Amino acid sequence: MPQHADQLRSRGRGCGYPEGHANITDADLAAALAAKAPLATHVITQICFDARATVDWARRVHRDHSDLDVVIGVPAPVSRQKLMRIAGGIGLGQSARFLRKQQNTIWQLIRPGGYRPDKLLRAFEPHLAAPDVNIAGIHLFTFNELAGAEAWRRSLLARLDAG
């Protein structure tokens, strides 16, 4: 372990891909995570609209790296055009496997009223305290739509407090 490993560990984080990446093999992703895990405290997932895939991936991370927390990356409410552009830019939209598996989600994104994170967050709720996944929190990707994301976050918290 390098000198100052505790300092590195206190600040370290990694990036996780619950459904893989269009341009990186699963073996290379696993090797990169294994190399980073000793220096990281948590891993933030990339966008994944499939809660089951994310939870299954978090379960594998816990099995292979039990000290590594998982923070689930969820897109904040943004326009469907921006969300699709960003999804394509990070490799999701280019993956034929992603497109085949996510046809229903893509339809939801392009119809009026499209994507809202509420439903995705509710799908994670039963797993948040599960001891076999090490889910430590949620990270909202705002895509520089800070005012809208903050308004949505406050509204969500007010609904949770009321209910």
Side-chain angles (χ1 to χ4, degrees):
M1 193 65 72
Q3 185 178 8
H4 308 298
D6 290 336
Q7 290 173 335
L8 290 173
R9 189 164 175 75
S10 69
R11 293 185 299 229
R13 69 171 189 242
C15 183
Y17 295 87
E19 289 194 310
H21 189 283
N23 301 316
I24 306 170
T25 68
D26 290 344
D28 286 344
L29 288 172
L33 184 58
K36 292 175 185 177
L39 302 174
T41 58
H42 63 282
V43 59
I44 300 174
T45 69
Q46 275 293 355
I47 296 171
C48 179
F49 298 104
D50 182 348
R52 183 181 314 227
T54 300
V55 170
D56 289 346
W57 181 85
R59 204 169 270 125
R60 288 191 303 275
V61 169
H62 176 69
R63 182 193 65 218
D64 297 341
H65 312 284
S66 62
D67 291 338
L68 192 60
D69 288 338
V70 172
V71 177
I72 299 169
V74 175
V78 294
S79 73
R80 31 181 212 271
Q81 295 86 356
K82 187 168 199 170
L83 187 58
M84 293 302 287
R85 186 175 65 247
I86 290 167
I90 61 172
L92 297 179
Q94 299 169 16
S95 168
R97 184 176 76 188
F98 172 81
L99 292 174
R100 278 196 307 274
K101 290 172 73 175
Q102 299 293 345
Q103 287 178 12
N104 187 42
T105 298
I106 290 171
W107 172 249
Q108 290 174 5
L109 294 176
I110 61 174
R111 69 185 171 118
Y115 173 76
R116 290 195 45 89
D118 307 62
K119 183 177 179 183
L120 184 56
L121 289 173
R122 277 193 299 276
F124 290 119
E125 189 175 359
H127 307 284
L128 293 178
D132 65 335
V133 293
N134 279 9
I135 295 175
I138 304 293
H139 173 85
L140 273 182
F141 290 106
T142 64
F143 310 116
N144 294 323
E145 300 286 338
L146 298 177
E150 179 60 8
W152 172 84
R153 187 187 72 83
R154 288 178 186 222
S155 173
L156 175 64
L157 291 174
R159 288 192 315 264
L160 291 173
D161 285 343

mmCIF file of all heavy atoms in Angstrom, residues 39-83:
data_model
loop_
_atom_site.group_PDB
_atom_site.id
_atom_site.type_symbol
_atom_site.label_atom_id
_atom_site.label_comp_id
_atom_site.label_asym_id
_atom_site.label_seq_id
_atom_site.Cartn_x
_atom_site.Cartn_y
_atom_site.Cartn_z
ATOM 1 N N LEU A 39 -7.951 1.660 -3.422
ATOM 2 C CA LEU A 39 -7.716 3.089 -3.201
ATOM 3 C C LEU A 39 -9.000 3.895 -3.111
ATOM 4 O O LEU A 39 -8.954 5.115 -2.958
ATOM 5 C CB LEU A 39 -6.855 3.651 -4.331
ATOM 6 C CG LEU A 39 -5.496 2.980 -4.509
ATOM 7 C CD1 LEU A 39 -4.791 3.517 -5.735
ATOM 8 C CD2 LEU A 39 -4.645 3.167 -3.268
ATOM 9 N N ALA A 40 -10.138 3.238 -3.226
ATOM 10 C CA ALA A 40 -11.414 3.948 -3.280
ATOM 11 C C ALA A 40 -12.281 3.617 -2.081
ATOM 12 O O ALA A 40 -12.158 2.544 -1.486
ATOM 13 C CB ALA A 40 -12.146 3.587 -4.571
ATOM 14 N N THR A 41 -13.154 4.541 -1.744
ATOM 15 C CA THR A 41 -14.142 4.293 -0.701
ATOM 16 C C THR A 41 -15.484 3.940 -1.298
ATOM 17 O O THR A 41 -16.302 3.294 -0.674
ATOM 18 C CB THR A 41 -14.319 5.535 0.201
ATOM 19 O OG1 THR A 41 -14.713 6.639 -0.612
ATOM 20 C CG2 THR A 41 -13.041 5.840 0.951
ATOM 21 N N HIS A 42 -15.706 4.408 -2.540
ATOM 22 C CA HIS A 42 -16.992 4.154 -3.179
ATOM 23 C C HIS A 42 -16.850 4.198 -4.696
ATOM 24 O O HIS A 42 -15.860 4.689 -5.232
ATOM 25 C CB HIS A 42 -18.043 5.164 -2.711
ATOM 26 C CG HIS A 42 -17.720 6.585 -3.083
ATOM 27 N ND1 HIS A 42 -16.805 7.351 -2.401
ATOM 28 C CD2 HIS A 42 -18.218 7.387 -4.062
ATOM 29 C CE1 HIS A 42 -16.736 8.552 -2.939
ATOM 30 N NE2 HIS A 42 -17.576 8.601 -3.954
ATOM 31 N N VAL A 43 -17.853 3.665 -5.339
ATOM 32 C CA VAL A 43 -17.939 3.704 -6.787
ATOM 33 C C VAL A 43 -19.297 4.292 -7.141
ATOM 34 O O VAL A 43 -20.310 3.953 -6.537
ATOM 35 C CB VAL A 43 -17.735 2.293 -7.404
ATOM 36 C CG1 VAL A 43 -18.751 1.297 -6.903
ATOM 37 C CG2 VAL A 43 -17.749 2.353 -8.913
ATOM 38 N N ILE A 44 -19.309 5.230 -8.093
ATOM 39 C CA ILE A 44 -20.546 5.841 -8.564
ATOM 40 C C ILE A 44 -20.891 5.206 -9.898
ATOM 41 O O ILE A 44 -20.065 5.180 -10.810
ATOM 42 C CB ILE A 44 -20.391 7.370 -8.729
ATOM 43 C CG1 ILE A 44 -20.026 8.014 -7.394
ATOM 44 C CG2 ILE A 44 -21.677 7.977 -9.300
ATOM 45 C CD1 ILE A 44 -19.712 9.505 -7.490
ATOM 46 N N THR A 45 -22.113 4.711 -10.005
ATOM 47 C CA THR A 45 -22.500 4.061 -11.252
ATOM 48 C C THR A 45 -22.788 5.084 -12.338
ATOM 49 O O THR A 45 -23.211 6.205 -12.061
ATOM 50 C CB THR A 45 -23.762 3.180 -11.083
ATOM 51 O OG1 THR A 45 -24.902 4.010 -10.852
ATOM 52 C CG2 THR A 45 -23.591 2.173 -9.978
ATOM 53 N N GLN A 46 -22.551 4.665 -13.560
ATOM 54 C CA GLN A 46 -23.006 5.433 -14.702
ATOM 55 C C GLN A 46 -24.523 5.290 -14.794
ATOM 56 O O GLN A 46 -25.128 4.499 -14.083
ATOM 57 C CB GLN A 46 -22.361 4.915 -15.990
ATOM 58 C CG GLN A 46 -21.023 5.492 -16.283
ATOM 59 C CD GLN A 46 -21.103 6.991 -16.597
ATOM 60 O OE1 GLN A 46 -22.164 7.592 -16.694
ATOM 61 N NE2 GLN A 46 -19.939 7.599 -16.735
ATOM 62 N N ILE A 47 -25.122 6.017 -15.685
ATOM 63 C CA ILE A 47 -26.567 5.955 -15.879
ATOM 64 C C ILE A 47 -26.972 4.538 -16.267
ATOM 65 O O ILE A 47 -26.379 3.925 -17.150
ATOM 66 C CB ILE A 47 -27.003 6.913 -17.002
ATOM 67 C CG1 ILE A 47 -26.706 8.345 -16.617
ATOM 68 C CG2 ILE A 47 -28.484 6.729 -17.317
ATOM 69 C CD1 ILE A 47 -26.900 9.326 -17.761
ATOM 70 N N CYS A 48 -27.976 4.035 -15.590
ATOM 71 C CA CYS A 48 -28.584 2.759 -15.949
ATOM 72 C C CYS A 48 -30.058 2.881 -15.593
ATOM 73 O O CYS A 48 -30.393 3.155 -14.440
ATOM 74 C CB CYS A 48 -27.931 1.605 -15.188
ATOM 75 S SG CYS A 48 -28.654 -0.001 -15.566
ATOM 76 N N PHE A 49 -30.919 2.700 -16.557
ATOM 77 C CA PHE A 49 -32.349 2.851 -16.315
ATOM 78 C C PHE A 49 -32.993 1.563 -15.829
ATOM 79 O O PHE A 49 -34.197 1.512 -15.608
ATOM 80 C CB PHE A 49 -33.045 3.330 -17.587
ATOM 81 C CG PHE A 49 -32.565 4.672 -18.034
ATOM 82 C CD1 PHE A 49 -31.703 4.793 -19.117
ATOM 83 C CD2 PHE A 49 -32.944 5.809 -17.348
ATOM 84 C CE1 PHE A 49 -31.253 6.038 -19.519
ATOM 85 C CE2 PHE A 49 -32.499 7.059 -17.747
ATOM 86 C CZ PHE A 49 -31.654 7.173 -18.825
ATOM 87 N N ASP A 50 -32.200 0.531 -15.638
ATOM 88 C CA ASP A 50 -32.689 -0.764 -15.185
ATOM 89 C C ASP A 50 -32.229 -0.991 -13.744
ATOM 90 O O ASP A 50 -31.070 -1.342 -13.496
ATOM 91 C CB ASP A 50 -32.147 -1.852 -16.113
ATOM 92 C CG ASP A 50 -32.640 -3.246 -15.773
ATOM 93 O OD1 ASP A 50 -33.228 -3.447 -14.693
ATOM 94 O OD2 ASP A 50 -32.433 -4.140 -16.609
ATOM 95 N N ALA A 51 -33.132 -0.776 -12.794
ATOM 96 C CA ALA A 51 -32.771 -0.906 -11.377
ATOM 97 C C ALA A 51 -32.282 -2.309 -11.059
ATOM 98 O O ALA A 51 -31.346 -2.484 -10.279
ATOM 99 C CB ALA A 51 -33.965 -0.542 -10.495
ATOM 100 N N ARG A 52 -32.889 -3.312 -11.642
ATOM 101 C CA ARG A 52 -32.468 -4.697 -11.372
ATOM 102 C C ARG A 52 -31.026 -4.920 -11.803
ATOM 103 O O ARG A 52 -30.241 -5.533 -11.077
ATOM 104 C CB ARG A 52 -33.384 -5.687 -12.077
ATOM 105 C CG ARG A 52 -33.040 -7.136 -11.766
ATOM 106 C CD ARG A 52 -33.953 -8.076 -12.491
ATOM 107 N NE ARG A 52 -35.317 -7.615 -12.335
ATOM 108 C CZ ARG A 52 -36.336 -8.370 -12.001
ATOM 109 N NH1 ARG A 52 -36.158 -9.642 -11.815
ATOM 110 N NH2 ARG A 52 -37.547 -7.873 -11.890
ATOM 111 N N ALA A 53 -30.655 -4.404 -12.968
ATOM 112 C CA ALA A 53 -29.270 -4.558 -13.438
ATOM 113 C C ALA A 53 -28.305 -3.844 -12.494
ATOM 114 O O ALA A 53 -27.231 -4.361 -12.181
ATOM 115 C CB ALA A 53 -29.125 -4.010 -14.856
ATOM 116 N N THR A 54 -28.692 -2.664 -12.012
ATOM 117 C CA THR A 54 -27.836 -1.910 -11.101
ATOM 118 C C THR A 54 -27.676 -2.638 -9.774
ATOM 119 O O THR A 54 -26.566 -2.758 -9.241
ATOM 120 C CB THR A 54 -28.394 -0.492 -10.864
ATOM 121 O OG1 THR A 54 -28.462 0.180 -12.131
ATOM 122 C CG2 THR A 54 -27.515 0.305 -9.911
ATOM 123 N N VAL A 55 -28.768 -3.157 -9.225
ATOM 124 C CA VAL A 55 -28.702 -3.875 -7.944
ATOM 125 C C VAL A 55 -27.901 -5.167 -8.105
ATOM 126 O O VAL A 55 -27.077 -5.493 -7.237
ATOM 127 C CB VAL A 55 -30.119 -4.149 -7.394
ATOM 128 C CG1 VAL A 55 -30.077 -5.099 -6.202
ATOM 129 C CG2 VAL A 55 -30.797 -2.836 -7.009
ATOM 130 N N ASP A 56 -28.103 -5.890 -9.192
ATOM 131 C CA ASP A 56 -27.311 -7.111 -9.424
ATOM 132 C C ASP A 56 -25.828 -6.777 -9.520
ATOM 133 O O ASP A 56 -24.980 -7.495 -8.984
ATOM 134 C CB ASP A 56 -27.777 -7.819 -10.700
ATOM 135 C CG ASP A 56 -29.137 -8.472 -10.548
ATOM 136 O OD1 ASP A 56 -29.630 -8.619 -9.404
ATOM 137 O OD2 ASP A 56 -29.729 -8.826 -11.592
ATOM 138 N N TRP A 57 -25.502 -5.676 -10.201
ATOM 139 C CA TRP A 57 -24.107 -5.252 -10.313
ATOM 140 C C TRP A 57 -23.559 -4.882 -8.937
ATOM 141 O O TRP A 57 -22.441 -5.259 -8.590
ATOM 142 C CB TRP A 57 -24.021 -4.069 -11.284
ATOM 143 C CG TRP A 57 -22.636 -3.571 -11.490
ATOM 144 C CD1 TRP A 57 -21.705 -4.052 -12.382
ATOM 145 C CD2 TRP A 57 -21.999 -2.507 -10.784
ATOM 146 N NE1 TRP A 57 -20.541 -3.332 -12.269
ATOM 147 C CE2 TRP A 57 -20.707 -2.381 -11.291
ATOM 148 C CE3 TRP A 57 -22.415 -1.640 -9.779
ATOM 149 C CZ2 TRP A 57 -19.804 -1.429 -10.828
ATOM 150 C CZ3 TRP A 57 -21.526 -0.693 -9.304
ATOM 151 C CH2 TRP A 57 -20.238 -0.591 -9.835
ATOM 152 N N ALA A 58 -24.343 -4.141 -8.140
ATOM 153 C CA ALA A 58 -23.909 -3.763 -6.783
ATOM 154 C C ALA A 58 -23.674 -5.005 -5.931
ATOM 155 O O ALA A 58 -22.744 -5.041 -5.116
ATOM 156 C CB ALA A 58 -24.949 -2.850 -6.134
ATOM 157 N N ARG A 59 -24.476 -6.017 -6.123
ATOM 158 C CA ARG A 59 -24.302 -7.281 -5.397
ATOM 159 C C ARG A 59 -22.961 -7.927 -5.769
ATOM 160 O O ARG A 59 -22.241 -8.437 -4.910
ATOM 161 C CB ARG A 59 -25.480 -8.201 -5.724
ATOM 162 C CG ARG A 59 -25.765 -9.228 -4.698
ATOM 163 C CD ARG A 59 -27.098 -9.925 -4.944
ATOM 164 N NE ARG A 59 -28.146 -9.192 -4.248
ATOM 165 C CZ ARG A 59 -29.254 -8.719 -4.815
ATOM 166 N NH1 ARG A 59 -29.496 -8.898 -6.087
ATOM 167 N NH2 ARG A 59 -30.141 -8.049 -4.105
ATOM 168 N N ARG A 60 -22.619 -7.897 -7.057
ATOM 169 C CA ARG A 60 -21.331 -8.453 -7.501
ATOM 170 C C ARG A 60 -20.163 -7.638 -6.942
ATOM 171 O O ARG A 60 -19.150 -8.202 -6.526
ATOM 172 C CB ARG A 60 -21.259 -8.515 -9.030
ATOM 173 C CG ARG A 60 -22.137 -9.591 -9.633
ATOM 174 C CD ARG A 60 -21.858 -9.804 -11.124
ATOM 175 N NE ARG A 60 -21.998 -8.610 -11.934
ATOM 176 C CZ ARG A 60 -23.147 -8.170 -12.444
ATOM 177 N NH1 ARG A 60 -24.272 -8.828 -12.219
ATOM 178 N NH2 ARG A 60 -23.173 -7.080 -13.193
ATOM 179 N N VAL A 61 -20.311 -6.312 -6.930
ATOM 180 C CA VAL A 61 -19.261 -5.463 -6.368
ATOM 181 C C VAL A 61 -19.073 -5.795 -4.897
ATOM 182 O O VAL A 61 -17.944 -5.943 -4.419
ATOM 183 C CB VAL A 61 -19.591 -3.960 -6.551
ATOM 184 C CG1 VAL A 61 -18.648 -3.080 -5.736
ATOM 185 C CG2 VAL A 61 -19.522 -3.584 -8.025
ATOM 186 N N HIS A 62 -20.159 -5.951 -4.167
ATOM 187 C CA HIS A 62 -20.060 -6.289 -2.737
ATOM 188 C C HIS A 62 -19.376 -7.648 -2.552
ATOM 189 O O HIS A 62 -18.546 -7.811 -1.664
ATOM 190 C CB HIS A 62 -21.444 -6.308 -2.096
ATOM 191 C CG HIS A 62 -21.421 -6.739 -0.670
ATOM 192 N ND1 HIS A 62 -20.859 -5.970 0.330
ATOM 193 C CD2 HIS A 62 -21.857 -7.874 -0.068
ATOM 194 C CE1 HIS A 62 -20.965 -6.620 1.479
ATOM 195 N NE2 HIS A 62 -21.563 -7.761 1.254
ATOM 196 N N ARG A 63 -19.709 -8.596 -3.390
ATOM 197 C CA ARG A 63 -19.093 -9.925 -3.296
ATOM 198 C C ARG A 63 -17.584 -9.852 -3.549
ATOM 199 O O ARG A 63 -16.792 -10.463 -2.833
ATOM 200 C CB ARG A 63 -19.747 -10.873 -4.314
ATOM 201 C CG ARG A 63 -19.210 -12.300 -4.268
ATOM 202 C CD ARG A 63 -19.631 -13.105 -5.469
ATOM 203 N NE ARG A 63 -19.022 -12.517 -6.665
ATOM 204 C CZ ARG A 63 -19.628 -12.418 -7.835
ATOM 205 N NH1 ARG A 63 -20.854 -12.845 -8.017
ATOM 206 N NH2 ARG A 63 -19.001 -11.875 -8.866
ATOM 207 N N ASP A 64 -17.169 -9.078 -4.542
ATOM 208 C CA ASP A 64 -15.762 -9.023 -4.935
ATOM 209 C C ASP A 64 -14.949 -7.957 -4.195
ATOM 210 O O ASP A 64 -13.728 -8.064 -4.108
ATOM 211 C CB ASP A 64 -15.648 -8.756 -6.445
ATOM 212 C CG ASP A 64 -16.255 -9.879 -7.275
ATOM 213 O OD1 ASP A 64 -16.437 -11.001 -6.751
ATOM 214 O OD2 ASP A 64 -16.568 -9.628 -8.455
ATOM 215 N N HIS A 65 -15.622 -6.922 -3.685
ATOM 216 C CA HIS A 65 -14.947 -5.786 -3.032
ATOM 217 C C HIS A 65 -15.826 -5.322 -1.875
ATOM 218 O O HIS A 65 -16.437 -4.252 -1.936
ATOM 219 C CB HIS A 65 -14.722 -4.636 -4.018
ATOM 220 C CG HIS A 65 -14.135 -5.057 -5.325
ATOM 221 N ND1 HIS A 65 -12.799 -5.372 -5.468
ATOM 222 C CD2 HIS A 65 -14.701 -5.241 -6.543
ATOM 223 C CE1 HIS A 65 -12.574 -5.713 -6.728
ATOM 224 N NE2 HIS A 65 -13.701 -5.645 -7.399
ATOM 225 N N SER A 66 -15.889 -6.095 -0.814
ATOM 226 C CA SER A 66 -16.867 -5.848 0.250
ATOM 227 C C SER A 66 -16.696 -4.510 0.958
ATOM 228 O O SER A 66 -17.650 -4.012 1.562
ATOM 229 C CB SER A 66 -16.837 -6.987 1.269
ATOM 230 O OG SER A 66 -15.567 -7.064 1.888
ATOM 231 N N ASP A 67 -15.524 -3.894 0.890
ATOM 232 C CA ASP A 67 -15.316 -2.595 1.535
ATOM 233 C C ASP A 67 -15.693 -1.414 0.642
ATOM 234 O O ASP A 67 -15.617 -0.266 1.069
ATOM 235 C CB ASP A 67 -13.845 -2.423 1.944
ATOM 236 C CG ASP A 67 -13.456 -3.365 3.076
ATOM 237 O OD1 ASP A 67 -14.362 -3.818 3.798
ATOM 238 O OD2 ASP A 67 -12.259 -3.633 3.224
ATOM 239 N N LEU A 68 -16.084 -1.685 -0.576
ATOM 240 C CA LEU A 68 -16.367 -0.629 -1.541
ATOM 241 C C LEU A 68 -17.866 -0.341 -1.577
ATOM 242 O O LEU A 68 -18.666 -1.203 -1.901
ATOM 243 C CB LEU A 68 -15.881 -1.073 -2.930
ATOM 244 C CG LEU A 68 -15.821 -0.042 -4.030
ATOM 245 C CD1 LEU A 68 -14.877 1.099 -3.661
ATOM 246 C CD2 LEU A 68 -15.350 -0.696 -5.317
ATOM 247 N N ASP A 69 -18.240 0.881 -1.198
ATOM 248 C CA ASP A 69 -19.643 1.284 -1.254
ATOM 249 C C ASP A 69 -20.039 1.612 -2.685
ATOM 250 O O ASP A 69 -19.210 2.017 -3.503
ATOM 251 C CB ASP A 69 -19.886 2.520 -0.391
ATOM 252 C CG ASP A 69 -19.823 2.227 1.099
ATOM 253 O OD1 ASP A 69 -20.017 1.048 1.489
ATOM 254 O OD2 ASP A 69 -19.577 3.168 1.873
ATOM 255 N N VAL A 70 -21.331 1.448 -2.964
ATOM 256 C CA VAL A 70 -21.884 1.784 -4.275
ATOM 257 C C VAL A 70 -22.815 2.978 -4.116
ATOM 258 O O VAL A 70 -23.695 2.979 -3.254
ATOM 259 C CB VAL A 70 -22.652 0.586 -4.884
ATOM 260 C CG1 VAL A 70 -23.381 0.988 -6.157
ATOM 261 C CG2 VAL A 70 -21.702 -0.575 -5.153
ATOM 262 N N VAL A 71 -22.585 3.993 -4.910
ATOM 263 C CA VAL A 71 -23.467 5.149 -4.989
ATOM 264 C C VAL A 71 -24.127 5.077 -6.358
ATOM 265 O O VAL A 71 -23.441 5.030 -7.378
ATOM 266 C CB VAL A 71 -22.691 6.469 -4.801
ATOM 267 C CG1 VAL A 71 -23.606 7.667 -4.969
ATOM 268 C CG2 VAL A 71 -22.011 6.495 -3.434
ATOM 269 N N ILE A 72 -25.449 5.040 -6.360
ATOM 270 C CA ILE A 72 -26.184 4.853 -7.608
ATOM 271 C C ILE A 72 -26.345 6.188 -8.318
ATOM 272 O O ILE A 72 -26.911 7.131 -7.769
ATOM 273 C CB ILE A 72 -27.562 4.227 -7.338
ATOM 274 C CG1 ILE A 72 -27.391 2.855 -6.684
ATOM 275 C CG2 ILE A 72 -28.360 4.112 -8.631
ATOM 276 C CD1 ILE A 72 -28.680 2.279 -6.153
ATOM 277 N N GLY A 73 -25.849 6.255 -9.538
ATOM 278 C CA GLY A 73 -25.975 7.458 -10.355
ATOM 279 C C GLY A 73 -27.310 7.465 -11.077
ATOM 280 O O GLY A 73 -27.630 6.540 -11.811
ATOM 281 N N VAL A 74 -28.093 8.510 -10.829
ATOM 282 C CA VAL A 74 -29.428 8.643 -11.421
ATOM 283 C C VAL A 74 -29.522 10.002 -12.094
ATOM 284 O O VAL A 74 -29.176 11.019 -11.478
ATOM 285 C CB VAL A 74 -30.519 8.518 -10.323
ATOM 286 C CG1 VAL A 74 -31.899 8.783 -10.879
ATOM 287 C CG2 VAL A 74 -30.452 7.154 -9.656
ATOM 288 N N PRO A 75 -29.986 10.049 -13.338
ATOM 289 C CA PRO A 75 -30.160 11.351 -13.974
ATOM 290 C C PRO A 75 -31.281 12.132 -13.308
ATOM 291 O O PRO A 75 -32.348 11.593 -13.038
ATOM 292 C CB PRO A 75 -30.539 11.026 -15.418
ATOM 293 C CG PRO A 75 -30.323 9.570 -15.587
ATOM 294 C CD PRO A 75 -30.316 8.949 -14.236
ATOM 295 N N ALA A 76 -31.024 13.408 -13.030
ATOM 296 C CA ALA A 76 -32.078 14.306 -12.554
ATOM 297 C C ALA A 76 -33.021 14.584 -13.724
ATOM 298 O O ALA A 76 -32.699 14.273 -14.874
ATOM 299 C CB ALA A 76 -31.448 15.602 -12.053
ATOM 300 N N PRO A 77 -34.186 15.159 -13.440
ATOM 301 C CA PRO A 77 -35.083 15.483 -14.562
ATOM 302 C C PRO A 77 -34.418 16.476 -15.514
ATOM 303 O O PRO A 77 -33.925 17.520 -15.097
ATOM 304 C CB PRO A 77 -36.291 16.143 -13.885
ATOM 305 C CG PRO A 77 -36.223 15.746 -12.461
ATOM 306 C CD PRO A 77 -34.769 15.531 -12.156
ATOM 307 N N VAL A 78 -34.353 16.092 -16.769
ATOM 308 C CA VAL A 78 -33.838 16.955 -17.830
ATOM 309 C C VAL A 78 -34.695 16.698 -19.063
ATOM 310 O O VAL A 78 -35.447 15.725 -19.112
ATOM 311 C CB VAL A 78 -32.345 16.686 -18.161
ATOM 312 C CG1 VAL A 78 -31.447 17.057 -17.014
ATOM 313 C CG2 VAL A 78 -32.113 15.256 -18.576
ATOM 314 N N SER A 79 -34.557 17.539 -20.054
ATOM 315 C CA SER A 79 -35.320 17.333 -21.282
ATOM 316 C C SER A 79 -34.925 15.997 -21.901
ATOM 317 O O SER A 79 -33.790 15.536 -21.757
ATOM 318 C CB SER A 79 -35.065 18.462 -22.274
ATOM 319 O OG SER A 79 -33.766 18.342 -22.830
ATOM 320 N N ARG A 80 -35.853 15.385 -22.574
ATOM 321 C CA ARG A 80 -35.559 14.080 -23.177
ATOM 322 C C ARG A 80 -34.468 14.204 -24.233
ATOM 323 O O ARG A 80 -33.663 13.306 -24.394
ATOM 324 C CB ARG A 80 -36.801 13.401 -23.721
ATOM 325 C CG ARG A 80 -37.854 14.238 -24.217
ATOM 326 C CD ARG A 80 -39.052 13.429 -24.707
ATOM 327 N NE ARG A 80 -39.635 14.155 -25.783
ATOM 328 C CZ ARG A 80 -40.568 15.067 -25.639
ATOM 329 N NH1 ARG A 80 -41.046 15.325 -24.456
ATOM 330 N NH2 ARG A 80 -41.023 15.711 -26.669
ATOM 331 N N GLN A 81 -34.421 15.319 -24.957
ATOM 332 C CA GLN A 81 -33.376 15.504 -25.962
ATOM 333 C C GLN A 81 -32.003 15.508 -25.308
ATOM 334 O O GLN A 81 -31.073 14.854 -25.799
ATOM 335 C CB GLN A 81 -33.584 16.812 -26.741
ATOM 336 C CG GLN A 81 -34.821 16.858 -27.584
ATOM 337 C CD GLN A 81 -36.052 17.329 -26.802
ATOM 338 O OE1 GLN A 81 -36.019 17.557 -25.600
ATOM 339 N NE2 GLN A 81 -37.171 17.439 -27.507
ATOM 340 N N LYS A 82 -31.874 16.229 -24.212
ATOM 341 C CA LYS A 82 -30.581 16.304 -23.525
ATOM 342 C C LYS A 82 -30.207 14.947 -22.950
ATOM 343 O O LYS A 82 -29.064 14.506 -23.056
ATOM 344 C CB LYS A 82 -30.622 17.354 -22.416
ATOM 345 C CG LYS A 82 -29.274 17.586 -21.782
ATOM 346 C CD LYS A 82 -29.287 18.826 -20.906
ATOM 347 C CE LYS A 82 -27.873 19.283 -20.665
ATOM 348 N NZ LYS A 82 -27.797 20.585 -20.036
ATOM 349 N N LEU A 83 -31.163 14.251 -22.352
ATOM 350 C CA LEU A 83 -30.876 12.939 -21.774
ATOM 351 C C LEU A 83 -30.426 11.955 -22.849
ATOM 352 O O LEU A 83 -29.463 11.218 -22.656
ATOM 353 C CB LEU A 83 -32.096 12.407 -21.021
ATOM 354 C CG LEU A 83 -31.884 11.126 -20.244
ATOM 355 C CD1 LEU A 83 -30.766 11.267 -19.217
ATOM 356 C CD2 LEU A 83 -33.179 10.721 -19.544
#
